[in-house]
Amino acid sequence: MFYFILIILVLVLFFMTRKDKKASDKYLSRALAAFTMAIIALVAYIARDAYYYNVVNNYFSLPQGIWKALMFAAVPRGWLIRWLNASALLVIYLFVQFSLTFLSDAAVWNNRRFRRQLVLFLGIQCLFYDPQVQETLYLLLYPKVLDAPMFGETGKIIHMVTCILNCGLIIDAVRRVFWINCKVAPAYFFRYYAWGESLCFACIAIAYLFIFWFAPMSFVKVSRLAGFVSYRSVPLSGSNLVYRFYPYYLVLATFVIIYFLGHSIVNRRKLERNELNIRRQIDAADTTSKTFCHYMKNELLAIQAEVEMLNVGEAEEEDKKEILERCDNLYRRLDEIHHSTKMSELILKRTDICCLMDEILEHMAPDFKDCEIRTEYGKKIPAVMVDSAYFDQAVHNILMNAREAMEKCPDRNSILNVRIYSIDNWVQISITDNGAGISAVNMNKIFTPFYSSAPIKKHWGIGLGLTYKIITTHGGRIEVESTEHEETTFRIVLPSILQNAGTAEEGEI
């Protein structure tokens, strides 16, 4: 147990210092800290009980120096009880809050009434199980209202009800985390740690329930006639088998948590390396294309001027016109590439992403007149800070790719699904088409500048590279999943305004 406390402290430091801290990290790190405080309070209280000396000494594996310090610490038992009960209730509150951060697009997340009710329920328990309150209640109710046996039985019933409700809150929190991660975490950005995070939370919750299933409880026993207050022992299990099994569970839980942390770090670094490679490719392509486009545009203008000055007969007039049209088309393509490499400042404004997406789809409706567009937006999507013009361009490139992919499958009804929902203070836009899909060979090259699976006459492969650049410049992420001959999904993840609460309404980067 002593080593488990050290592991919990290491986890607290990990979640507090990680660079990509999420809203849930705040509650989980605080819950772990409160869990540690509850364990220390429990050990300090049990250390005063000679009945449990051998059990506790073996069970918690404390160094002798710490064990003696707890045994003879000049801290009244009443304050140890308050410390234990308050810490245990705080863990329950933070566990529930941790699970609710995964429901940022649901009514529960913004339901202040639920939070107030939770605080009130736990606060009443903290007050009711206070040693001084228990003593006062006994003196007020005995013997006119309740005799000693009835007072004890009533206390047991109340304690049983609160135990069931508290354990139910924790179990429901674990269920909610697994359910939400399974339902709304399709993006690899979330998925790579979602299940690991869920398993870690479940391991910690089980460890808590195993030790503190009884908390809070009344530890005092009052005798009005004798004018004496005694203290009850902690309701530990009478079976040594339970305490022999528990250390093995802690070892297993520790391995699961360490594996998750290691897996999280490895995947994070892998993701960052992939992003860095794509950015380098885009930057290198930008530098080369600026010079190339400038030179080729000047040459095309010179060629056009020479062709226009040619005197040709009527038979060659059509050929001359076709040459000029091709030069003009090539010039526009080069100009598009040139402008894409000169992204100006992003003017970030607080934007309702659902309204912006509706405007983009309405604007592009003529391009999808033969396609069924389905939209699904989550409840209470937080605003985002985006440059509407650039974001429009990024989404436009994705939608045009989706349209062309669906045109390759004329034998099926074209369906475009657009979904928007929020995950842990991030907003995710999912665009799915039922087109030809992308082969596994081409998936790793999808954002590579100047790469296209289509003939170069139609595409030069700059659209998705530009889209990637725009989304990452907004502080977001973009990824693609595809099943060849079935469907393709592009996912854009943007930080919501909840992450930028301290920033100005408008700004430039």
Side-chain angles (χ1 to χ4, degrees), residues 34-35 37-38 41 79-94 122 125-127 129-130 208 215-217 219:
F35 189 6
M37 298 301 292
W79 285 105
L80 290 177
I81 294 171
R82 293 185 181 97
W83 180 5
L84 172 59
N85 288 340
S87 299
L89 291 170
L90 181 59
V91 171
I92 297 173
Y93 173 78
L94 293 170
L122 299 178
Q125 290 188 62
C126 189
L127 180 64
Y129 289 112
D130 184 272
Y208 173 84
M217 67 170 286
F219 286 95

Side-chain angles (χ1 to χ4, degrees), residues 14 18 188 190-197 199-200 255-271 273:
F14 172 79
R18 64 189 295 186
Y188 182 76
F190 297 104
R191 188 194 314 132
Y192 84 94
Y193 59 76
W195 284 105
E197 188 174 42
L199 286 172
C200 285
F255 275 116
V256 170
I257 293 171
I258 291 175
Y259 173 79
F260 157 66
L261 295 181
H263 189 66
S264 173
I265 293 171
V266 169
N267 279 279
R268 168 61 64 181
R269 290 178 177 175
K270 180 180 177 181
L271 189 62
R273 282 197 301 269

Side-chain angles (χ1 to χ4, degrees), residues 163-456:
C163 282
I164 293 173
L165 293 176
N166 290 338
C167 293
L169 285 171
I170 295 175
I171 294 171
D172 185 62
V174 174
R175 178 203 62 80
R176 185 182 297 114
V177 171
F178 273 97
W179 179 73
I180 292 299
N181 277 330
C182 179
K183 182 181 179 182
V184 296
Y188 182 76
F189 174 61
F190 297 104
R191 188 194 314 132
Y192 84 94
Y193 59 76
W195 284 105
E197 188 174 42
S198 302
L199 286 172
C200 285
F201 179 54
C203 289
I204 295 169
I206 292 172
Y208 173 84
L209 288 173
F210 190 93
I211 303 175
F212 295 104
W213 61 269
F214 61 85
M217 67 170 286
S218 173
F219 286 95
V220 297
K221 186 175 182 180
V222 184
S223 174
R224 181 174 188 141
L225 297 177
F228 179 74
V229 176
S230 59
Y231 293 92
R232 295 189 175 98
S233 298
V234 175
L236 298 177
S237 174
S239 173
N240 288 330
L241 181 63
V242 173
Y243 298 110
R244 288 178 182 176
F245 166 78
Y246 190 64
Y248 293 104
Y249 168 76
L250 293 182
V251 171
L252 176 63
T254 301
F255 275 116
V256 170
I257 293 171
I258 291 175
Y259 173 79
F260 157 66
L261 295 181
H263 189 66
S264 173
I265 293 171
V266 169
N267 279 279
R268 168 61 64 181
R269 290 178 177 175
K270 180 180 177 181
L271 189 62
E272 290 175 349
R273 282 197 301 269
N274 291 338
E275 292 175 349
L276 181 60
N277 289 335
I278 294 175
R279 290 196 188 101
R280 285 175 175 173
Q281 292 174 355
I282 292 175
D283 291 341
D286 286 351
T287 303
T288 304
S289 61
K290 285 178 183 178
T291 305
F292 173 76
C293 290
H294 181 74
Y295 173 78
M296 290 299 297
K297 285 163 67 177
N298 290 337
E299 291 298 313
L300 280 172
L301 290 174
I303 293 173
Q304 282 181 303
E306 292 291 338
V307 173
E308 288 175 352
M309 292 176 64
L310 292 175
N311 292 321
V312 296
E314 293 183 2
E316 291 82 16
E317 190 65 35
E318 286 296 323
D319 293 334
K320 177 182 175 180
K321 184 177 179 181
E322 183 179 351
I323 292 172
L324 290 173
E325 286 179 355
R326 288 194 175 188
C327 287
D328 188 55
N329 182 54
L330 185 57
Y331 184 90
R332 287 197 302 269
R333 297 277 293 279
L334 288 168
D335 193 55
E336 181 183 351
I337 297 174
H338 197 191
H339 282 295
S340 72
T341 63
K342 298 191 300 182
M343 283 185 63
S344 59
E345 296 173 327
L346 295 183
I347 310 300
L348 300 181
K349 296 183 179 180
R350 179 173 180 145
T351 305
D352 186 328
I353 195 65
C354 298
C355 292
L356 178 58
M357 185 59 68
D358 285 337
E359 292 175 5
I360 296 172
L361 293 174
E362 183 179 358
H363 174 70
M364 297 188 66
D367 297 312
F368 290 88
K369 58 184 178 181
D370 298 325
C371 174
E372 179 185 355
I373 300 178
R374 301 173 180 174
T375 58
E376 180 184 334
Y377 301 157
K379 299 178 182 179
K380 299 184 179 181
I381 302 296
V384 293
M385 298 289 289
V386 298
D387 185 308
S388 299
Y390 276 108
F391 186 78
D392 186 326
Q393 186 176 6
V395 174
H396 179 274
N397 294 333
I398 295 175
L399 293 176
M400 293 306 294
N401 274 273
R403 188 195 70 174
E404 293 171 7
M406 291 185 290
E407 288 176 349
K408 295 178 181 178
C409 302
D411 57 329
R412 68 177 72 163
N413 295 327
S414 299
I415 300 174
L416 183 74
N417 289 297
V418 180
R419 301 182 181 90
I420 302 177
Y421 45 87
S422 58
I423 306 174
D424 197 22
N425 295 340
W426 292 81
V427 174
Q428 178 168 296
I429 302 104
S430 175
I431 301 173
T432 303
D433 67 75
N434 65 336
I438 304 170
S439 67
V441 176
N442 296 330
M443 280 294 292
N444 293 331
K445 307 173 184 177
I446 197 71
F447 297 115
T448 302
F450 302 112
Y451 171 80
S452 176
S453 58
I456 194 170

